[in-house]
């Protein structure tokens, strides 16, 4: 059951990152194969002897890596856009977490 939850978290976070990238930066994510291949990593993370909070962090880290590889831009622009997207999503998460 935990592996299914990690896969769900992976795909939802991937969808959120894609949506923010398209809304803020008009960036199209070009390689869908990385996203499909990245779906294997939550399966590997699910069998690791780490607590669920650590697994959730690892899945988020994998999503950031997949998005970094998937964006078609220069290396510096990839990093800047990914960090801005991460900060934006964290702020949105905090806004909904307080109420």
């Amino acid at each position: 059951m935990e592996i299914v939850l990690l896969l769900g978290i992976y795909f939802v976070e991937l969808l959120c990152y894609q949506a923010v990238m398209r809304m803020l930066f008009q960036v199209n994510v070009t390689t869908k194969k990385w996203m499909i291949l990245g779906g294997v990593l939550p399966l590997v993370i699910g069998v690791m002897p780490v607590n669920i909070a650590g697994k959730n962090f690892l899945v988020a880290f994998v999503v950031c890596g997949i998005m970094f590889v998937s964006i078609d831009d220069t290396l510096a622009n990839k990093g800047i856009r990914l960090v801005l997207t991460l900060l934006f999503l964290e702020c949105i998460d905090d806004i909904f977490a307080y109420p």
Side-chain angles (χ1 to χ4, degrees), residues 66-77:
I66 295 293
M67 287 303 296
F68 186 80
V69 172
S70 298
I71 298 171
D72 190 28
D73 207 352
T74 63
L75 196 61
N77 284 344

Side-chain angles (χ1 to χ4, degrees), residues 17 21 25 27 64-65 67-88:
Y17 273 87
M21 286 285 188
F25 306 115
V27 172
C64 287
M67 287 303 296
F68 186 80
V69 172
S70 298
I71 298 171
D72 190 28
D73 207 352
T74 63
L75 196 61
N77 284 344
K78 284 182 183 183
I80 291 169
R81 289 179 177 172
L82 192 62
V83 168
L84 289 175
T85 303
L86 176 69
L87 290 174
F88 182 78

Side-chain angles (χ1 to χ4, degrees), residues 3 43 45:
I3 293 175
L43 298 173
I45 292 170

Side-chain angles (χ1 to χ4, degrees), residues 30-45:
T30 56
T31 55
K32 305 286 186 201
K33 65 181 178 183
W34 287 108
M35 294 175 196
I36 295 169
L37 289 174
V40 174
L41 292 173
L43 298 173
V44 173
I45 292 170

